[in-house]
């Protein structure tokens, strides 16, 4: 998907007094927004929100010192991968401990079968699958 480059000039700064709103809201002429989105006569109201104003600042700083788009993307993907790896390791540890705790619980159940606790199955495949999903989710979120 190709984007549209449009030069714009800041003509005013509006402050509502709500910091989170002021950090992520911008106003543009409707005709210009239609050109940028390549949707003439379709767009009649446009609301854009910056996901994280701090990330926008970081991107601006990196661009100003010469980072390319690919380099910036790599930085954010690496950050997401590191957070995902830490979360995966913590999830594995908590899962292992919860598994061990549930395995230590003893109670009697009689019916079609007779049980004396939870029937649990531990497999390295479960850990690998959960880790893969956690890392994929963290990369998509980055």
């Amino acid at each position: 998907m190709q984007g549209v480059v449009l030069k714009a000039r800041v003509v005013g700064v509006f402050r509502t007094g709500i910091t989170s709103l002021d950090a992520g809201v911008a106003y543009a002429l409707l005709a210009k927004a239609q050109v940028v989105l390549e949707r003439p006569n379709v767009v009649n109201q446009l609301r854009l929100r910056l996901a994280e104003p701090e990330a926008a600042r970081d991107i601006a700083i990196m661009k100003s010192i010469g980072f390319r788009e690919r380099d910036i993307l790599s930085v954010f993907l690496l950050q997401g991968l590191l957070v995902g790896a830490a979360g995966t390791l913590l999830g594995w540890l908590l899962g292992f401990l919860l598994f061990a705790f549930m395995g230590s619980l003893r109670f009697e159940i009689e019916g079609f079968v007779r049980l004396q606790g939870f029937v649990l199955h531990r497999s390295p495949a479960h850990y690998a699958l959960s880790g893969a999903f956690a890392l994929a989710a963290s990369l998509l979120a980055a």
Side-chain angles (χ1 to χ4, degrees), residues 128-140:
L129 188 62
S130 66
F133 275 113
L135 290 175
S138 67
L139 284 175
L140 287 173

Side-chain angles (χ1 to χ4, degrees), residues 11-129:
V11 294
V13 176
F14 301 97
R15 297 207 189 286
T16 63
I18 303 170
T19 307
S20 59
L21 184 64
D22 291 340
V25 176
Y27 297 94
L29 293 174
L30 189 56
K32 299 293 183 184
Q34 290 172 337
V35 169
V36 168
L37 294 175
E38 298 176 336
R39 305 283 294 194
N41 301 321
V42 175
V43 176
N44 58 17
Q45 181 183 14
L46 178 69
R47 294 188 71 176
L48 294 176
R49 181 178 62 88
L50 295 175
E52 291 184 43
E54 187 166 318
R57 272 189 293 268
D58 293 343
I59 291 170
I61 291 169
M62 286 188 267
K63 281 185 175 184
S64 70
I65 60 175
F67 277 62
R68 295 180 306 227
E69 295 280 334
R70 187 184 62 177
D71 298 332
I72 294 170
L73 180 61
S74 297
V75 167
F76 282 98
L77 287 177
L78 181 61
Q79 182 182 14
L81 185 64
L82 291 174
V83 169
T88 298
L89 293 174
L90 182 63
W92 282 345
L93 176 66
L94 290 175
F96 181 82
L97 294 174
L98 183 61
F99 192 96
F101 171 72
M102 290 180 67
S104 70
L105 295 176
R106 295 288 169 224
F107 51 87
E108 296 281 334
I109 296 178
E110 264 190 63
F112 185 68
V113 289
R114 185 177 180 161
L115 299 173
Q116 295 179 343
F118 288 109
V119 178
L120 302 172
H121 175 69
R122 181 180 304 167
S123 166
H126 294 145
Y127 286 91
L129 188 62

